[in-house]
Amino acid sequence: MRAFYFDNIPGDQRLLHDSGNLVSDDLLKSIGLLHWHIPTSQQNQIDTIAEERNYKNRDTITITKEGLGALYEAKLKSFYEEHMHEDEEIRYILEGSGFFDVREHPTDSWIRCQLDAGDLLVLPAGIYHRFTLDENNMIKALRLFKDEPKWTPINRGDLTDVNPYRVDYLKSIAVN
């Protein structure tokens, strides 16, 4: 995985949008982001991480224009709306590639995480983020869940800043 600040230049969200300013692993950890690169030939390591982190359920999602048909553009637009979840979001990329953008706190800058096959990303509950494919327009990912699979995005707004999961997230990254 490669992480850098988003350039904020208008245009297709699937473009790289690389500002040229890389983001360090230490900064990613400071905002609660975890990541590993596990070659897809060594997927058994995912089971070890799942057990250590108490991920009990999983499924696979494939996002392509062919697979989503007429819903493709609407789905991409909805994935790209800034939102949070009340659960961790865990993705292991099996094929293809894409971007997860996360908000750095307290600057509110976008950090773009470029993911390819073999990348495992864990976003903490309460972090503002969004997702998009890249120009290859295809991704297949293993989704892991602590409990029953649920995918409930809560779009950013006045109520999300006081959501208990957002408040807990901010407390967890506070510098003492």
Side-chain angles (χ1 to χ4, degrees):
M1 185 188 88
R2 186 171 162 270
F4 47 88
Y5 285 99
F6 189 81
D7 65 12
N8 293 314
I9 296 172
D12 188 337
Q13 67 198 39
R14 291 171 271 205
L15 297 176
L16 191 59
H17 288 283
D18 186 346
S19 67
N21 296 317
L22 293 177
V23 173
S24 70
D25 284 346
D26 287 341
L27 193 147
L28 294 174
K29 286 178 188 170
S30 77
I31 61 170
L33 216 89
L34 302 175
H35 68 93
W36 297 263
H37 183 79
I38 300 166
T40 55
S41 63
Q42 299 172 14
Q43 286 183 39
N44 60 327
Q45 291 182 33
I46 298 297
D47 295 334
T48 302
I49 292 170
E51 188 174 322
E52 288 170 359
R53 296 190 54 82
N54 204 26
Y55 302 145
K56 298 176 188 140
N57 292 298
R58 60 181 74 188
D59 69 10
T60 303
I61 185 171
T62 303
I63 304 170
T64 63
K65 190 170 191 169
E66 298 77 24
L68 292 174
L71 298 174
Y72 177 74
E73 292 297 332
K75 278 289 187 191
L76 273 188
K77 185 177 179 182
S78 73
F79 293 152
Y80 203 62
E81 291 291 322
E82 183 174 3
H83 63 278
M84 58 165 261
H85 300 284
E86 293 181 342
D87 293 310
E88 286 183 345
E89 185 162 345
I90 308 106
R91 299 293 182 268
Y92 176 62
I93 310 306
L94 298 166
E95 296 176 38
S97 48
F99 302 112
F100 274 90
D101 297 337
V102 296
R103 285 284 190 191
E104 179 183 30
H105 184 79
T107 68
D108 228 21
S109 298
W110 281 116
I111 296 172
R112 177 154 273 199
C113 300
Q114 183 178 18
L115 300 172
D116 294 298
D119 288 330
L120 173 64
L121 179 68
V122 178
L123 301 179
I127 193 171
Y128 291 131
H129 66 282
R130 61 191 183 190
F131 169 78
T132 190
L133 293 175
D134 61 15
E135 292 181 279
N136 294 317
N137 293 313
M138 185 278 182
I139 200 164
K140 181 177 181 181
L142 179 68
R143 301 188 299 182
L144 296 123
F145 305 91
K146 287 198 176 213
D147 293 307
E148 287 302 311
K150 58 182 173 180
W151 204 135
T152 308
I154 303 169
N155 287 346
R156 188 172 184 175
D158 294 338
L159 294 178
T160 54
D161 285 336
V162 296
N163 177 294
Y165 291 88
R166 176 70 181 168
V167 171
D168 287 348
Y169 165 70
L170 293 175
K171 286 179 186 173
S172 77
I173 64 168
V175 178
N176 295 327

